[in-house]
Amino acid sequence: MKLQRKNMLRASALGALVVSGALVLTACGSDDNTKGADGSAKPSAAAAGDIKCDDAKGKLLASGSSAQKNAVDLWIKNYMAACSGVEVNYKSSSSGEGIVAFNQGTVGFAGSDSALKPEQVEDSKKICTGGQGIDLPMVGGPIAIGFNVAGVDKLTLDAPTLAAIFNDKIKKWDDEAIKKLNPGVNLPGTAIQAFHRSEDSGTTENLGKYLKATAGDQWTYEAAKKWPAPGGQAASGSAGVAAQVKQVDGAIGYFELSYASSQGIKTVDINTGAAAPVAATPENASKAIAAAKIAGTGSDLALKLDYATKAEGAYPIVLVTYEVVCDKGNKAETLPAVKSFLNYTASDAGQKILSENGYAPIPAEINKKVREVIATLG
């Protein structure tokens, strides 16, 4: 009994010490104040150091590309923590809807996965008094081809086979064309369930550019925001396509890598003709985007991408999301916020966030020009 009582007293004292230590740690943590009101981490000192609020204030509305949603959400979180006088609201819809909203004058900027077309630039002149809409490349990254085939963990496809799948020509996962690209993989006879975007989408257009450039015999459609091919099933936004691929056995679809990473969706390696198939990673996408050339004129920084690249380790199915703004004629009440926010997204800290979250930073030489143009917005 004495031994039992002694052990109980020792346990009680140890428990008190643990509680005391926890209270001390809690008190120390409260002085640190690194958490926001919602319990999530505030931006680091390095990130906040690149955020200059200047004269920005009020509400800044923006909309468009769902491809950049995950990046924009992080940017907004950091920016609003540093600039409490500004509320940035980005509606993730589609590139097409974003450009429509921009040319109607209801948003300060739009996100688009493809550069403005001549007729869209002409329409923008009605809103951009004395100026016009321009394209500022801000987010790069791979368009991942996600798949969900029971028992298959690794899959390689090339452009002609991918085109035939999305063109409703290849209907089973054990098709000879797929088996040839995947020796040793036990492919089932499961029916292929191909998913595409239901609304106008820059992601769709970029995939179309890749297939047109590399599999023209199989993919005879012109690249466009609207899905052109027969068959398949439609879903809304990149999030909608990713959700369908995740839950449907036999599914395949396309969306930005961040959606695959966040939901644990397996992605296809692409046989480009290089020595080895190329995985969808930010690093491999950066190798392809680094070869981009500026095709726009003046302040417009639209890029020309090489979708048919066979460079070692270069992932070819890439997109660049542009922030579409007026070069001149921005609304006086939102111009400071537009410049302040975009200055942050184009900063070293803003671009660093991309590589940490499944996207690819814009090449430094091009990004330098983006910053220079932002400074001239009026």
Side-chain angles (χ1 to χ4, degrees):
M1 285 292 291
K2 285 183 179 180
L3 181 61
Q4 183 179 14
R5 177 176 174 80
K6 188 175 181 180
N7 287 340
M8 288 175 63
L9 288 171
R10 183 180 296 167
S12 176
L14 181 60
L17 181 60
V18 170
V19 171
S20 173
L23 289 173
V24 170
L25 290 172
T26 302
C28 291
S30 64
D31 289 338
D32 185 34
N33 195 28
T34 59
K35 300 291 184 182
D38 61 356
S40 57
K42 287 184 177 179
S44 66
D50 271 16
I51 299 175
K52 304 292 189 293
C53 305
D54 296 326
D55 298 321
K57 59 184 178 180
K59 182 177 288 189
L60 173 59
L61 300 179
S63 70
S65 163
S66 65
Q68 67 170 2
K69 177 187 184 301
N70 294 335
V72 173
D73 284 350
L74 290 167
W75 280 334
I76 289 175
K77 184 180 184 67
N78 285 352
Y79 180 80
M80 288 177 56
C83 301
S84 57
V86 187
E87 180 186 344
V88 184
N89 188 322
Y90 182 80
K91 179 184 176 184
S92 170
S93 49
S94 68
S95 298
E97 290 176 43
I99 291 173
V100 168
F102 178 77
N103 280 342
Q104 290 176 341
T106 59
V107 295
F109 70 89
S112 177
D113 305 328
S114 54
L116 292 167
K117 291 180 169 50
E119 61 271 22
Q120 293 170 332
V121 173
E122 196 60 35
D123 285 346
S124 73
K125 294 178 181 179
K126 302 169 188 174
I127 298 301
C128 306
T129 308
Q132 65 181 44
I134 57 172
D135 303 287
L136 299 179
M138 201 67 72
V139 182
I143 300 174
I145 307 299
F147 70 96
N148 178 3
V149 183
V152 179
D153 293 323
K154 192 169 181 61
L155 186 69
T156 296
L157 296 174
D158 60 12
T161 307
L162 194 59
I165 288 172
F166 280 119
N167 201 17
D168 205 30
K169 297 289 179 61
I170 293 179
K171 300 177 183 292
K172 300 280 188 180
W173 279 109
D174 61 352
D175 187 275
E176 287 302 318
I178 302 177
K179 289 168 68 174
K180 185 177 179 181
L181 290 164
N182 296 275
V185 177
N186 186 18
L187 292 162
T190 308
I192 293 174
Q193 307 285 338
F195 289 90
H196 58 262
R197 293 281 290 274
S198 59
E199 72 287 350
D200 286 2
S201 159
T203 311
T204 295
E205 185 171 6
N206 280 275
L207 175 63
K209 288 177 180 178
Y210 164 73
L211 294 175
K212 183 72 173 177
T214 55
D217 291 343
Q218 288 283 355
W219 197 261
T220 57
Y221 316 99
E222 292 302 318
K225 288 185 173 68
K226 186 175 182 62
W227 181 256
Q233 302 171 62
S236 178
S238 291
V241 175
Q244 291 298 316
V245 171
K246 184 175 177 64
Q247 68 186 18
V248 176
D249 184 28
I252 187 170
Y254 59 94
F255 32 78
E256 294 64 45
L257 182 61
S258 63
Y259 290 90
S261 302
S262 64
Q263 298 191 45
I265 298 172
K266 296 184 286 289
T267 61
V268 171
D269 293 347
I270 300 298
N271 183 337
T272 64
V278 186
T281 68
E283 295 76 19
N284 292 344
S286 290
K287 291 176 184 176
I289 295 172
K293 306 296 183 186
I294 294 176
T297 58
S299 296
D300 187 85
L301 300 179
L303 302 179
K304 181 176 178 59
L305 299 166
D306 180 11
Y307 295 97
T309 181
K310 294 181 181 180
E312 296 298 328
Y315 184 82
I317 318 176
V318 295
L319 59 74
V320 169
T321 294
Y322 302 93
E323 311 310 339
V324 177
V325 295
C326 295
D327 57 355
K328 302 295 178 188
N330 289 278
K331 293 179 181 178
E333 62 269 25
T334 57
L335 177 59
V338 168
K339 294 178 73 170
S340 171
F341 181 70
L342 294 184
N343 269 324
Y344 166 55
T345 65
S347 70
D348 289 340
Q351 289 291 298
K352 186 172 185 289
I353 283 176
L354 298 180
S355 57
E356 294 171 350
N357 291 278
Y359 294 95
I362 299 301
E365 183 180 342
I366 296 171
N367 193 48
K368 180 175 180 289
K369 295 179 180 179
V370 171
R371 296 182 198 180
E372 291 169 354
V373 171
I374 292 170
T376 68
L377 298 180

